[in-house]
Structure formats: structure tokens, C-alpha cells
Amino acid sequence: MKILAFESSCDETAAAVVEDGRKVLSDAILSQADMHAIYGGVVPEIASRKHVEAIAALAEQALTDAGVSKSGIDAVAVTCGPGLIGALLVGVNFAKSTAYALGKPLIPVHHLRGHIAANYIAFPELEPPFLALCVSGGNSMLVDVAGYTDMTVLGATRDDAAGECFDKIARVLGLPYPGGKPMELLAEGGDDTKYPLPRAKVAGNDLDMSFSGLKTAAVNLVHNAGQKGEALDRSSLAASVAAAISDELVPRAVEAARRAGRRTIVAAGGVAANKRIRGDLERAAEDNGLRLYLPPLGLCGDNGAMIGAQAYYEYLAGTRGDMSLNAYANLEL
Ligand code: KG4
């Protein structure tokens, strides 16, 4: 089954053709990151406009690259949330009209389910059940994936996402947007114990996370050093931030897997590209006898292929959208 899938939840416009959930026939992506970099973060109105300009050409490119005609497509899939509402609406409306015009089923896909499904593309043998650590610019969650469409959130951030934390600290350090990768490069050779940063303990569900205190602590540290004219060891600060974020995520992922009775951890989302977090996950998995799947870097960030992968399993489970399908800035998993 060949699915034409669209993704436009943030600042990447993407269209892909995926066969039977696992085989990527094409994956066309246009990133707007350079455009938003001038402002230090995503400007929603600009994102929506750029999606409108790009999406039709990307759809054509995805079909051409896949060597599939419009009539060779079996279904159309789209991210319907969560994300920036104006950005999502572009993909949703384009997918609706494409499905309608081609007379094909429409499959709505949750963005984070897509991030998890990126691993099905990279690892043909991977099947649920497993514990997923989903870490992106907008979300941080621990998800028990009992089946392809049967998921339970075991813990989530109460405030900022891990990616947001990297991005905002990067901004005060004068690094370009998105800041995750530049922070990773800056951290190289830094002393991750030099700046003691807070690790949050959240009341109630101890698998929930919090990154806003850490973000504020690091931002204040930079500002205070600037005001006092003190030299800042930027590399060590970046390393200390990565260590603190990893400490929020990795032990909780292991504990969530233990509580859910899962022997496999799967990482997903843009922040899953981070070297420190990947290394800590590897060590923790080995220490606890867990199998670990780390998506290749190219499949960590937003892309259309991951939406096409998840859409296949949604289709098998009977998920369908119709012409009343809407986009949702916040959407339960
Ligand atoms: O999954 P993604 O592309 O978009 C969302 O769905 O949010 O994630 C983007 C986030 C950004 O916050 C970016 O700074 C972060 O992923 N990121 C990283 C790295 N590469 C991207 N964070 C830490 N280390 C990286 N190497």
C-alpha cells in the first residue's frame, strides 16, 4: 500500500511516499529554519505562509522521486496535530483536497506517533511493545507503545520541552536557531560538572518532567556573568546543560520501561539526535539489560516519511479522516 504523506506542523514542509509503513519511496523536505533563524525562533505566521508556497511543489516532487503517478497512490496521510495551528492547517487542507480529488482515503496522524514510527523505517525488525522516549522542540514524553496504535503516556513535561530548553539557552549564548545542534558542538570538550544546574523533581507523577527551572537557571547564569563582567566558560555551560537535560530524560525512560514491563526503549524526535543523550541512553540500556533503538540522525527531525509510516498502521487500525478533518494545536496521543 502506497501512502502519500504530508507534514507541516512546525517549520519543515514535507511530503513523502511510503510503502506498507516501512519502505520509503521518496522523502521531500523543505526546511524554513534559515528564515526563522533571523528572529531566533519560529514565527508562526511566516511558517504558515512558507508552507502554502511550498506544499504543492513538494507533493509533485515526492511523487516524481517515488516514480508513482497520482492514481498509483492508495491513501493520503497528514499530521493533524499537535503543532502550530496555522502551519498544521496548510497540510491538513492540502491533504484533504488531494484525497478528495483522487478519491482516496484520508488518514490523520498524530505528530509524535509519527516521530515514534520513524524507527519502523530504520529498523525493519522493530515491533511494539516498547517504551518510547519522545523528545522534540515542542514535546517531551514517555510513552508505553503497547501496539502500533495503542499508546499510553506515562510521563510528560509539565512546562517546556527538552528542545525548547536547548533552543532558549542557545539563544542567550548567541547561537543560531535551532540551538540543539550548535549547543552540542559547543559542549565538545566542556566540563559537564562545572556549572551545577537544577534537576527537577515533580510532585505527583515522578515520571513527569520539568525543564523551565533549568532553562531559567542557565539563562540567569549567562545574564549574571554578563552584568558582572565575569568570563563564562561557554563550552562547559553547554556541556552542563546537556548533562542536566539528559539526567531528566534517561533515568525516567529506564524507570518507565521497568514499570511498564518493557524490555526495549526507542528514542524519537529532534532531541534524540543529541550525542550526550544518545550516549547516556546506551550506557543505561546496557546497565539495565534493555534493548535500545536510536533513530539515525536524518530521521530524528520532522519529515514526511515518518507520517507515512505511522499512517499505514493507523489505516490498518481503521483510522480515517473525512472532509471535516481539522487541525489541533494540542492533541492527545
Ligand atoms: O522533532 P523536531 O525536528 O521538531 C519538533 O517536532 O519539535 O525537533 C526540533 C528540536 C529543536 O528544539 C532542536 O534544537 C532539537 O530538536 N535538536 C537537538 C539536536 N538536533 C536538533 N537538540 C539537541 N541536540 C541535537 N543534536
Side-chain angles (χ1 to χ4, degrees):
M1 176 179 194
K2 294 188 182 79
I3 297 177
L4 173 61
F6 295 102
E7 156 64 38
S8 69
S9 65
C10 192
D11 59 348
E12 263 95 24
T13 323
V17 179
V18 181
E19 190 170 2
D20 296 339
R22 301 267 178 171
K23 191 171 172 202
V24 179
L25 302 184
S26 65
D27 192 9
I29 303 179
L30 189 73
S31 175
Q32 313 168 352
D34 288 353
M35 209 96 54
H36 300 289
I38 314 164
Y39 304 97
V42 178
V43 182
E45 182 58 25
I46 294 177
S48 312
R49 282 165 190 254
K50 291 294 157 191
H51 287 312
V52 171
E53 286 169 20
I55 199 161
L58 280 164
E60 289 293 342
Q61 193 189 327
L63 290 169
T64 307
D65 292 352
V68 180
S69 66
K70 288 183 183 117
S71 58
I73 290 299
D74 299 298
V76 178
V78 64
T79 305
C80 62
L84 300 172
I85 191 66
L88 286 163
L89 277 167
V90 177
V92 166
N93 284 309
F94 194 85
K96 273 160 72 171
S97 48
T98 305
Y100 182 73
L102 299 179
K104 303 292 179 186
L106 177 66
I107 311 167
V109 177
H110 190 287
H111 182 70
L112 284 185
R113 288 188 177 208
H115 271 304
I116 294 169
N119 286 278
Y120 302 142
I121 297 167
F123 308 109
E125 75 284 6
L126 175 64
E127 288 180 358
F130 54 77
L131 187 285
L133 170 64
C134 301
V135 273
S136 68
N139 297 275
S140 298
M141 268 183 199
L142 292 161
V143 183
D144 180 31
V145 183
Y148 287 104
T149 57
D150 178 6
M151 302 182 199
T152 308
V153 178
L154 301 181
T157 179
R158 298 264 179 97
D159 38 60
D160 297 330
E164 152 100 5
C165 189
F166 271 121
D167 292 342
K168 291 288 151 61
I169 297 169
R171 188 154 83 176
V172 297
L173 285 171
L175 298 171
Y177 169 86
K181 183 70 189 172
M183 284 283 283
E184 178 179 290
L185 295 173
L186 182 62
E188 273 170 22
D191 172 4
D192 65 3
T193 61
K194 180 153 182 180
Y195 294 102
L197 292 166
R199 272 67 167 162
K201 278 207 174 63
V202 179
N205 181 3
D206 58 1
L207 292 177
D208 278 352
M209 298 158 258
S210 166
F211 293 98
S212 70
L214 166 58
K215 180 182 80 176
T216 306
V219 168
N220 286 346
L221 210 144
V222 177
H223 286 156
N224 284 340
Q227 282 158 2
K228 290 179 190 162
E230 285 170 5
L232 192 70
D233 179 350
R234 291 158 54 84
S235 180
S236 293
L237 179 59
S240 302
V241 168
I245 291 178
S246 189
D247 282 354
E248 294 285 336
L249 299 171
V250 177
R252 282 186 175 90
V254 171
E255 177 59 14
R258 192 191 65 76
R259 287 188 200 170
R262 306 302 179 206
R263 304 304 307 155
T264 304
I265 293 181
V266 168
V271 179
N274 185 264
K275 256 189 212 158
R276 170 69 192 238
I277 296 169
R278 289 169 88 94
D280 286 353
L281 277 172
E282 269 163 354
R283 268 183 296 280
E286 202 178 317
D287 292 349
N288 291 279
L290 299 167
R291 213 172 303 120
L292 175 68
Y293 288 91
L294 296 171
L297 300 189
L299 281 170
C300 289
D302 291 348
N303 62 84
M306 68 186 201
I307 303 303
Q310 180 61 22
Y312 175 68
Y313 296 103
E314 297 288 347
Y315 180 84
L316 295 183
T319 309
R320 301 287 185 278
D322 60 22
M323 290 306 118
S324 68
L325 178 67
N326 208 344
Y328 301 94
N330 299 303
L331 184 64
E332 296 277 300
L333 193 75

